[in-house]
Amino acid sequence: MPRETVAHTAMAPADIDTAWRALDRPSTWEGVAGVDRVFDPVIDDQGRLRGFSFSTSVGGRSHEGRATPHRRIEGSVMAWDIDSGEVMGVLTVGLRDQGGQTEVTVTIDMESVGMLSTLFFGVIVSALRNGLPETVKGFAASLGAV
């Protein structure tokens, strides 16, 4: 099956602690890498986000998927295993302190697992690659919101 990795980096107008706390808010993940809506979040007793369902639009159709923990390094990396039935992979957000601001790198490693996505995988990757810079810029900006 086809596989691709795309990434982009932007600056968040927040210190790293503020940016990190924002990653535990389910609504923060809306708008990143094609995620239109987040619902059914799983939050542990310490207030950490441990998973969520999401919807995304691919080829004019809405698809639902699930994000489950892949890796978490407190204060620097939050990564999710993503599965939408047609596409699966890992969505990783890495944070680096930049003296009052935070460098945010979003990396998406994805592969096609469904027949439809295999046929349109090049189009999906192209759309993601073209839209990622603006998406990551907006995502980074949201990490400074209270």
Side-chain angles (χ1 to χ4, degrees):
M1 294 291 173
R3 176 179 217 113
E4 188 73 34
T5 300
V6 296
H8 190 74
T9 299
M11 294 300 290
D15 63 71
I16 197 163
D17 292 332
T18 300
W20 179 256
R21 283 191 307 273
L23 295 180
D24 278 322
R25 286 194 314 257
S27 62
T28 297
W29 297 92
E30 292 179 345
V32 69
V35 174
D36 298 324
R37 184 173 69 97
V38 169
F39 56 99
D40 295 335
V42 176
I43 299 174
D44 70 15
D45 58 355
Q46 294 177 329
R48 296 177 299 196
L49 185 61
R50 293 299 188 183
F52 54 89
S53 295
F54 63 91
S55 63
T56 186
S57 297
V58 177
R61 292 181 42 208
S62 181
H63 298 273
E64 289 188 357
R66 186 84 190 138
T68 56
H70 178 78
R71 183 172 70 160
R72 182 181 179 114
I73 301 171
E74 291 297 320
S76 65
V77 176
M78 191 176 292
W80 300 103
D81 287 318
I82 302 294
D83 186 350
S84 70
E86 290 287 329
V87 175
M88 62 185 294
V90 178
L91 168 62
T92 303
V93 173
L95 304 180
R96 275 190 41 202
D97 183 20
Q98 295 295 317
Q101 293 188 23
T102 304
E103 182 182 275
V104 179
T105 300
V106 176
T107 305
I108 303 152
D109 181 24
M110 63 181 173
E111 67 180 297
S112 171
V113 293
M115 183 58 77
L116 182 62
S117 66
T118 299
L119 293 172
F120 294 102
F121 194 71
V123 173
I124 294 168
V125 169
S126 178
L128 186 59
R129 190 179 310 275
N130 290 337
L132 197 60
E134 195 63 34
T135 298
V136 172
K137 186 190 295 184
F139 179 74
S142 78
L143 298 182
V146 186

